[in-house]
Amino acid sequence: MGWSYYRPQGRIDRLTECRNVFGREPSWATIVKDALVDDVYYAAMRSTKTNKVWALIVMTDVADGEFGYKDMDETMGPFYYDCPNTILKLLSPTDNEYAKTWREKCYANTNKRKPTKPKKDPLDELRKYLNYEFSSGPDTGKDYKTFQNKYINYLRRLCHENGWELANVGRNHYCFSCFIKSADEKYIYLSIDDVRGFRPEWYERVLIRIADHEKDYRGRGNNYTSLEDLQDNVTRLLRCA
């Protein structure tokens, strides 16, 4: 089976999308236990007809605001062997040689692999500044410059994950602005006010608006979003641009 793509509403979470796709037909099979390892989805699936549990392996992709997946089962000899032991132990016995080989390689791989630390939320570094009192003065403080770099790096990462581009970044005195450019050359202007206020508006109330190009500082109507909801709201505005 080849790749399938569709455009979900809101922020794309690979694990959630896989559960939506492969858990929506209980008349065929139900998800017993699942996990996302890197970009590959693994699930123990219970067949509705036979009650046997078999392994589902799904490659995933996110590109240009779309979620893509390519699914296969363990009898197809997939070349992905990071299925967790907690899923492997739930699988029913099988006589299929491809499935047996796949399970053996998964056990061998997971047993030799060192435990990995859970991935950090990329917003954690910025949340540390929620109650921080920035320096002040005629020259921009080093603390703000560090914060600004982390903020911009977060935006670059967000853009990369969604197939966007961060353009025309303006590093100002305790504030900054930039433009988010989509693959089809639509623009969103983004700006945060002076971070030395009493409330962390750089986190709670980020200004975004549709722009005609990457030097259009006037743009159209103002919209405000929290940093947590930024991706969803930028996606919404790009659809209207």
Side-chain angles (χ1 to χ4, degrees):
M1 182 178 293
W3 283 87
S4 299
Y5 282 85
Y6 65 90
R7 186 177 297 274
Q9 291 185 349
R11 183 173 183 177
I12 298 176
D13 180 87
R14 296 174 193 247
L15 181 58
T16 299
E17 297 304 328
C18 285
R19 287 172 174 172
N20 289 340
V21 172
F22 299 100
R24 66 188 176 194
E25 295 185 16
S27 60
W28 166 61
T30 55
I31 300 171
V32 180
K33 190 175 184 60
D34 60 1
L36 185 73
V37 182
D38 294 327
D39 296 336
V40 180
Y41 174 78
Y42 299 93
M45 305 291 292
R46 185 181 301 278
S47 173
T48 304
K49 291 184 178 180
T50 65
N51 207 39
K52 291 185 177 180
V53 181
W54 49 275
L56 171 71
I57 302 93
V58 183
M59 300 162 58
T60 69
D61 182 38
V62 175
D64 298 329
E66 292 189 328
F67 173 72
Y69 65 92
K70 181 178 181 181
D71 60 290
M72 62 198 87
D73 65 52
E74 57 182 329
T75 65
M76 300 170 68
F79 290 97
Y80 298 91
Y81 307 111
D82 291 319
C83 183
N85 288 355
T86 53
I87 292 176
L88 295 170
K89 291 176 180 179
L90 297 174
L91 305 180
S92 300
T94 180
D95 294 328
N96 185 279
E97 293 301 322
Y98 287 106
K100 285 182 179 180
T101 299
W102 178 80
R103 294 182 187 186
E104 290 172 359
K105 290 185 177 181
C106 284
Y107 273 120
N109 191 37
T110 55
N111 289 338
K112 72 181 181 181
R113 190 172 61 240
K114 294 181 180 179
T116 56
K117 295 181 179 179
K119 291 183 178 180
K120 291 184 178 180
D121 186 334
L123 273 176
D124 283 347
E125 280 298 309
L126 293 175
R127 291 193 184 103
K128 295 177 182 179
Y129 290 90
L130 282 173
N131 296 312
Y132 181 78
E133 184 176 348
F134 286 92
S135 61
S136 186
D139 296 323
T140 306
K142 291 183 178 179
D143 57 342
Y144 172 72
K145 290 181 180 179
T146 300
F147 163 80
Q148 186 183 71
N149 286 335
K150 290 180 179 180
Y151 203 118
I152 292 171
N153 287 338
Y154 172 76
L155 294 178
R156 290 192 192 280
R157 175 175 179 167
L158 196 67
C159 287
H160 177 73
E161 290 175 351
N162 287 274
W164 305 332
E165 177 185 342
L166 198 67
N168 194 14
V169 178
R171 298 172 182 263
N172 302 314
H173 186 60
Y174 289 99
C175 61
F176 75 87
S177 65
C178 62
F179 290 82
I180 294 174
K181 177 183 176 183
S182 68
D184 52 354
E185 297 191 353
K186 295 179 180 179
Y187 294 86
I188 300 297
Y189 172 76
L190 181 151
S191 174
I192 65 168
D193 288 332
D194 196 313
V195 299
R196 294 171 293 180
F198 292 104
R199 292 184 57 188
E201 294 197 348
W202 57 265
Y203 190 88
E204 299 174 349
R205 198 168 185 266
V206 181
L207 169 65
I208 55 174
R209 60 174 175 245
I210 297 172
D212 291 330
H213 48 78
E214 65 180 54
K215 293 185 179 180
D216 179 15
Y217 294 98
R218 299 185 64 180
R220 308 179 198 175
N222 289 348
N223 295 265
Y224 294 92
T225 178
S226 68
L227 195 54
E228 290 180 350
D229 296 327
L230 177 64
Q231 177 174 272
D232 292 345
N233 285 310
V234 168
T235 300
R236 176 180 58 83
L237 284 185
L238 286 172
R239 290 172 182 164
C240 301

